DNA sequence: ATGATCTTATTTGTATACAACAGTCATATT
DNA sequence: AATATGACTGTTGTATACAAATAAGATCAT
């Protein structure tokens, strides 16, 4: 199965071969693994094999293990000797505190060191608007997830406070899987519509140059999204 | 020089020998190294030797490197092949954003999931008050730094929001070295007095059960502390 | 049949040897 | 004399062999 990867032009192994130093190689492995985890290529609760991944990436276990260790510190993996490396499962209750914090941080994103490069932001959010449009006409699970990730990163540009960005990113990757996990029980079209409206609302605020309004809108949507997730879960368990 | 460590009763090597699993061993090495860095045992800009530390700890480089990699992710170390492992230097300007964020997070600490175990808090902050008293009578650089660290952890107890605690802790360890670095140019007694007053103010608020007031006080002191650091630096450079 | 114990397979953790890299110093060449 | 070049030294990065731990299955006794 991994032969498929090895023969692809932009495979991880190839990219690793082109990398110039250890730091770059680490970054490639780390972001690839994180992407697979939060796109549910590696499902919550599933087991990973260091050897299999190392083979696929064309490296030994040593450098791969560094990336795995960081992902463990991020709360996305859990390793135990004799057992294996497991993708952490996610529970809405446990994520409640993370969501609370993320909401507050989003408000800070509009308030702390607001970005000065307004023209870049306009382009960026116009692109987001376009992607939202095309997603709306053809709702698709993976594209939805991908846009969610990319929109998050666009939103991060609103602040120039780097530590705030780092912190927000970490928390985002702890929570973003919950959507893909629960979306099969929800109506994809509806969720896509709601999300696209959010993107448009925020893009409008950016157009007006009102970063704080954009942040508060984002915060409100995050809050509502969490409530929808909870309602869905309650409906399912009853 | 490392023989001293090896023969001490509670040496890291001994503690590592008693540890039951890899996770515990990692935790011991990680916290020990972090402590040495933020107590300036390993000064900013100094170079560490993986081999020397591994020898002192009585382990091979492999498990040690995991701890070093996490500390690098924390922003306390920086490794480069062929060069070495360097303790990151700290600059007040670069820490400005971290301080800004920490101030906001402190306010959240009093607002998000306030701790319900009030009796524990009372004991904890009374102990802090006592330590502050004894430090005031005999100002001492290391005890000052140690109390600063422990008081931070006590303050963390005010919130039950675990992600907030994690985030705050990481940011704290990014900034706490700046005091030890700049205190030689300042008056230790004065700084100790100011810090002890802060502890007393916050302990008073806790006694009244007003967690939010405690958090706001802390935020105010953090802000004033940063301003004092900046003033000191300006005076020095002029 | 059931329970306990031993064996075995699989996995991560650790130790170690070697490769890759950066800096330094000496040396040769212009 | 200046500069380029090469070997040498010390460092982290990587590969690999082996140790330790866990889980599952087989075997045996009851």
């Amino acid at each position: 199965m991994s032969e498929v990867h090895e023969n692809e032009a932009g495979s991880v192994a190839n990219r690793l071969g082109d990398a110039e130093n250890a730091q770059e190689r680490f970054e490639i492995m780390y972001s690839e693994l994180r992407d697979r985890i939060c796109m549910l290529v590696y499902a919550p609760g599933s087991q990973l094999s260091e050897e299999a991944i190392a083979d696929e990436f064309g490296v030994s276990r040593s450098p791969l293990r560094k990336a795995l260790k960081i992902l463990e510190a991020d709360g996305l993996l859990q390793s135990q000797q004799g057992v294996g490396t497991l993708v952490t499962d996610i529970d809405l209750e446990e994520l409640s505190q993370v969501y609370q914090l993320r909401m507050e941080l989003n408000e800070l994103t509009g308030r702390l060191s607001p970005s000065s490069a307004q023209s870049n932001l306009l382009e960026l959010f116009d692109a987001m608007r376009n992607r939202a449009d095309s997603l709306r006409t053809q709702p698709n699970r993976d594209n939805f997830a991908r846009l969610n990730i990319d929109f998050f990163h666009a939103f991060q540009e609103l602040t120039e406070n780097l530590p705030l960005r780092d912190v927000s990113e970490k928390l985002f990757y702890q929570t973003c899987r919950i959507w893909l996990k629960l979306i099969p029980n929800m109506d994809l079209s509806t969720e896509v519509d709601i999300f696209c409206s959010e993107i448009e609302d925020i893009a409008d605020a950016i157009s007006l140059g009102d970063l704080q309004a954009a942040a508060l809108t984002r915060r409100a949507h995050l809050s509502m999204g969490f409530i929808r997730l909870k309602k869905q879960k309650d409906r399912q368990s009853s």
Side-chain angles (χ1 to χ4, degrees), chain A:
Chain A
M1 35 174 77
S2 65
E3 294 88 331
V4 180
H5 288 286
E6 284 165 20
N7 293 332
E8 276 173 15
S11 76
V12 181
N14 288 343
R15 278 190 290 152
L16 284 171
D18 293 341
E20 294 202 340
N21 55 38
Q23 200 169 346
E24 262 183 51
R25 286 190 290 274
F26 167 82
E27 202 62 42
I28 291 171
M29 290 189 281
Y30 173 75
S31 57
E32 174 71 23
L33 291 172
R34 189 178 63 175
D35 191 69
R36 289 183 188 183
I37 291 169
C38 77
M39 289 297 286
L40 267 56
V41 177
Y42 299 146
S46 67
Q47 182 173 349
L48 305 184
S49 163
E50 292 185 352
E51 200 179 349
I53 298 176
D55 283 352
E56 185 207 327
F57 287 2
V59 296
S60 80
R61 282 175 56 212
S62 308
L64 172 66
R65 278 171 64 80
K66 278 194 223 167
L68 295 176
K69 193 72 191 175
I70 302 285
L71 288 166
E72 192 176 345
D74 289 346
L76 301 182
L77 291 179
Q78 213 162 2
S79 292
Q80 197 187 341
Q81 186 174 10
V83 181
T85 301
L86 303 178
V87 179
T88 54
D89 206 346
I90 40 177
D91 176 61
L92 202 57
E93 288 306 313
E94 292 173 22
L95 289 186
S96 167
Q97 291 186 329
V98 184
Y99 256 95
Q100 260 193 303
L101 182 54
R102 283 193 62 203
M103 289 187 334
E104 302 294 339
L105 291 183
N106 274 332
E107 196 257 323
L108 291 182
T109 300
R111 189 149 54 81
L112 254 49
S113 316
S115 176
S116 49
Q118 298 265 353
S119 62
N120 288 354
L121 288 180
L122 291 178
E123 278 183 48
L124 195 54
F125 279 86
D126 273 342
M128 288 293 146
R129 218 197 291 257
N130 290 335
R131 283 179 62 183
D133 275 343
S134 74
L135 177 63
R136 218 202 274 263
T137 59
Q138 197 173 341
N140 168 284
R141 198 199 78 144
D142 281 5
N143 289 346
F144 174 56
R146 191 65 68 190
L147 184 58
N148 187 33
I149 295 172
D150 292 343
F151 181 69
F152 166 78
H153 285 118
F155 184 80
Q156 290 284 85
E157 299 286 325
L158 296 201
T159 181
E160 288 180 347
N161 187 305
L162 267 47
L164 176 56
R165 285 195 194 179
D166 289 345
V167 164
S168 299
E169 180 171 319
K170 233 179 197 163
L171 296 173
F172 170 77
Y173 280 103
Q174 279 178 24
T175 57
C176 70
R177 287 182 293 164
I178 197 76
W179 282 101
L180 279 184
K181 189 186 175 189
L182 296 182
I183 206 83
N185 310 322
M186 306 168 80
D187 184 48
L188 179 61
S189 292
T190 308
E191 291 304 324
V192 164
D193 273 346
I194 294 174
F195 180 49
C196 290
S197 305
E198 174 184 351
I199 293 181
E200 281 154 18
D201 287 351
I202 292 175
D204 287 344
I206 303 288
S207 299
L208 294 171
D210 192 344
L211 269 50
Q212 200 155 355
L216 289 172
T217 306
R218 171 85 170 152
R219 186 200 148 122
H221 280 277
L222 201 64
S223 172
M224 291 188 288
F226 186 67
I227 290 173
R228 283 207 308 286
L229 285 171
K230 267 200 296 193
K231 271 192 184 155
Q232 181 278 328
K233 208 193 169 196
D234 292 343
R235 222 172 42 220
Q236 187 182 12
S237 60
S238 65

